Structure formats: structure tokens, C-alpha cells
Amino acid sequence: MRGYFYTKTFLNLHGNIVNMSTECATNSAVLLEAVKSIIPPLTYAQHKGQHGRLATIGGCKEYTGAPYFAAISALKIGCDLSHVFCTKDASPVIKSYSPELIVHPVLDKNGGVEEIASWLPRMHSVIIGPGLGRESSILENTKAIIIKARDLNIPLVIDADGVYLLAQSPEVIQGYTKAILTPNIMEFKLLYKKVLNEEPDLSQLSDSTKKLSQALGNVTIINKGASDIITDGKTVLINSSEGSPRRCGGQGDLLSGSMGTMTFWAHRYYSSTGVGDDIHQLGQPTMIAAYGASLLTRKCANLAFAKNQRSMTTTDMIGEIGYAFRCLFE
């Protein structure tokens, strides 16, 4: 089955194939099975932390909701322990949202990078960016954390102002294939121009996204939009499943949080089974994590919108995570 997918593979959730020869054809059932295969079963023999210890780096005085949404989403899809490393001002607010999260007010602290670094070896994956803000000292600290996480070979999900940081210093993530970047269209354009020194062709967004991934050394990118374009510079997947016409803030945080858990599961599945890059012919484990999280986020949005219509918020979506997960993957 080697080579089943080629670099011009385009799929949507319904299994429709675009620009793809018949010998390469597959359907959504194959993609769903790929996601299901990485999800660990629940048994009574498990211990706390076995299914994921996750860190979210973000949260400042102005933005406390985003890191909460990411961290609680990671917890609700199945990681066991969810940490938030934020600024001092953000900490009591985030703690007030939920007793489930472990909150560390160290991101703006003298010596805070070293303190976070001491925790990193215990983490299975790290989300960078929700509610990070753009204060230069915080961005410098975050850059140092990314480098330390890379040195430890920890899977990364980089979102929001984390992508803005990469648009200033793309070398920080260059060639690190355990990272997933989750830009919206404006963040994508900013990063693309910095890396390739030209404007992206938005009429050929799949090709432009793949080109950026290749320029970054095959880092996986999920370009969020009406359809989510997911690529590692080799394979391209497009998820066009129905979400919601309601575009409330925070939906991307649910995506990055669920992806943080799924990327740990995917990497663990790869290493434990020894399947290498041939798992369901999808390439890197980051591709499966990104695709699974995209499916889940859109399903949550669809369910929440059906109930709440115009008043839907991300909190409503988070309330649908358990049911959406069961509908899709169990």
C-alpha cells in the first residue's frame, strides 16, 4: 500500500476526490479509521497521566478565555492533566473558570522560562499561543520555550499569536515535523509572506498552503477556513464537513486544544506500533491529529449551532465535545 497517497491528494469528509487519479482514490471511512486507530481505549488498569499531560502556553491580562478554551478542550477529549502557563494577571481569572486546570502564573516572571522548562519533560505535548498577546518580552520567553520543547522532541501545536511569533522568527520552527501550525487566513498570509517573500495565491489556497509547509521543512499546517486545508507538504487533506455559520471567537482554541491531545496520541501510536510513515498511508502522525481535531471541532460547532443558532458561543461547543467525540470516533 506504499504510495497510496500522492502529493496532489485532495479529500473532503464525504470522500469526494479533486485533482486526483482513480488509482489514488479513497474515502472518508479510511480517514476516520486512521483517527480511530490512535485513540487509546479506556480500561480500569490505567493510571492518571497515562493518556496525556498537556501544557498550554498563553494567557495574559487581556486574553484569559483562549487558554482556558484550549486547555479544557484538551481535557474533555481525553487527556488526563491539563496545565496552563500564563502571566500573573491572567492566572486568578483562568483558575476561576475551572478547578480542573493546573495554572502556573510564570510566563512573565523573572526566571519564568526556566521554571516552565523544568515542567516540560513531564509534558506529552504543548500548545503555544492561545491568549498569548504580543508583548515583546512575552514573545521572547515563548520563543525560548519553543526551542526548549524542540530540544526535548515534544509535539507542538502553534496557534493564534504563536503563529504571529513565527511570522517574526520562522527559523524557530523550521524543519520541526512534530509541530502543527493552525493559522487563520490573515495569519497564513503574514507567515507566507515572511517565509517566501511573496504574497500567497489565494485562488490556489491548497497549493499555497502546501508550498509554505515545504518551505518550513514539511511542518504540518492546517489552514483554517470555510474548508480546513491540512498538509505536511506531501499529502493534502481537505475537510469540508459542515460546521456552523456562527463565527464566535474561541473556536480555534477548541481546535488547538483537541489537537494537542490527539497529536500526543498519534505520536504514541506511531512509536508503539512501529508503523512509521505508512499508517493508513497518511504520512506523519501530525496529519492524523490535525484531521481528527478538525472533524471534532466542526462537529461540535454543528451540534451547538443546531441548539443555539445565533446565540451560539464556544462554551456551547465545549459542552458538545463528549457527544461529538462519540458520534465520530466511538
Side-chain angles (χ1 to χ4, degrees):
M1 298 295 290
R2 184 183 297 275
Y4 190 87
F5 281 76
Y6 296 90
T7 56
K8 289 293 288 184
T9 303
F10 296 87
L11 301 167
N12 67 24
L13 177 67
H14 308 293
N16 299 321
I17 313 303
V18 182
N19 294 338
M20 185 176 178
S21 59
T22 55
E23 66 265 28
C24 302
T26 189
N27 56 47
S28 61
V30 174
L31 300 175
L32 280 170
E33 286 304 313
V35 178
K36 289 178 182 179
S37 70
I38 69 169
I39 297 170
L42 295 174
T43 74
Y44 290 102
Q46 296 158 355
H47 57 78
K48 182 174 64 179
Q50 190 171 349
H51 287 330
R53 298 184 297 273
L54 185 135
T56 298
I57 310 296
C60 61
K61 182 178 180 179
E62 292 83 4
Y63 305 116
T64 57
Y68 162 74
F69 287 145
I72 201 69
S73 297
L75 196 64
K76 281 185 171 289
I77 81 157
C79 87
D80 296 331
L81 295 167
S82 191
H83 297 251
V84 178
F85 295 87
C86 60
T87 66
K88 181 180 179 180
D89 286 339
S91 174
V93 182
I94 297 171
K95 286 182 178 181
S96 75
Y97 294 151
S98 173
E100 307 288 350
L101 305 180
I102 305 165
V103 183
H104 309 259
V106 297
L107 192 54
D108 56 347
K109 176 182 174 182
N110 288 335
V113 171
E114 290 71 25
E115 193 167 337
I116 295 171
S118 71
W119 281 91
L120 286 179
R122 310 180 210 183
M123 300 296 120
H124 291 125
S125 63
V126 179
I127 302 167
I128 304 282
L132 189 65
R134 297 186 179 182
E135 185 178 327
S136 59
S137 61
I138 300 300
L139 293 178
E140 284 300 313
N141 286 350
T142 304
K143 186 190 303 184
I145 293 162
I146 293 173
I147 293 169
K148 290 179 183 296
R150 284 192 60 165
D151 290 343
L152 293 168
N153 207 32
I154 300 172
L156 299 174
V157 175
I158 302 182
D159 183 34
D161 285 329
V163 179
Y164 173 82
L165 167 61
L166 296 183
Q168 316 309 309
S169 305
E171 71 281 356
V172 174
I173 208 65
Q174 181 72 37
Y176 190 59
T177 58
K178 281 194 170 184
I180 307 173
L181 313 186
T182 66
N184 60 27
I185 191 61
M186 297 307 296
E187 293 158 351
F188 173 77
K189 289 167 65 176
L190 189 67
L191 183 59
Y192 189 100
K193 187 172 183 179
K194 175 66 175 182
V195 173
L196 292 162
N197 199 32
E198 63 184 27
E199 296 287 343
D201 183 355
L202 300 184
S203 69
Q204 300 291 329
L205 197 53
S206 295
D207 287 340
S208 295
T209 306
K210 184 174 135 183
K211 186 175 179 181
L212 177 58
S213 172
Q214 291 170 341
L216 287 169
N218 297 105
V219 172
T220 295
I221 299 172
I222 173 168
N223 196 342
K224 300 179 293 190
S227 297
D228 291 338
I229 300 167
I230 306 164
T231 183
D232 59 0
K234 302 171 186 176
T235 300
V236 176
L237 303 176
I238 299 180
N239 180 13
S240 299
S241 58
E242 188 174 88
S244 164
R246 169 81 165 112
R247 303 308 306 155
C248 54
Q251 296 184 58
D253 304 310
L254 192 160
L255 176 71
S256 62
S258 57
M259 203 179 301
T261 297
M262 284 192 170
T263 196
F264 163 58
W265 289 348
H267 282 287
R268 181 171 64 178
Y269 181 84
Y270 266 55
S271 62
S272 65
T273 59
V275 292
D277 283 345
D278 291 325
I279 180 171
H280 300 286
Q281 300 81 44
L282 282 177
Q284 301 183 61
T286 46
M287 291 288 286
I288 297 174
Y291 187 77
S294 174
L295 287 178
L296 181 68
T297 302
R298 286 172 174 265
K299 185 67 171 177
C300 288
N302 186 256
L303 292 168
F305 183 74
K307 291 181 179 179
N308 299 281
Q309 297 292 303
R310 197 174 293 273
S311 70
M312 185 193 92
T313 65
T314 298
T315 299
D316 299 316
M317 290 175 58
I318 289 171
E320 300 293 341
I321 288 176
Y323 181 65
F325 192 95
R326 293 194 300 275
C327 287
L328 288 168
F329 307 130
E330 294 180 338

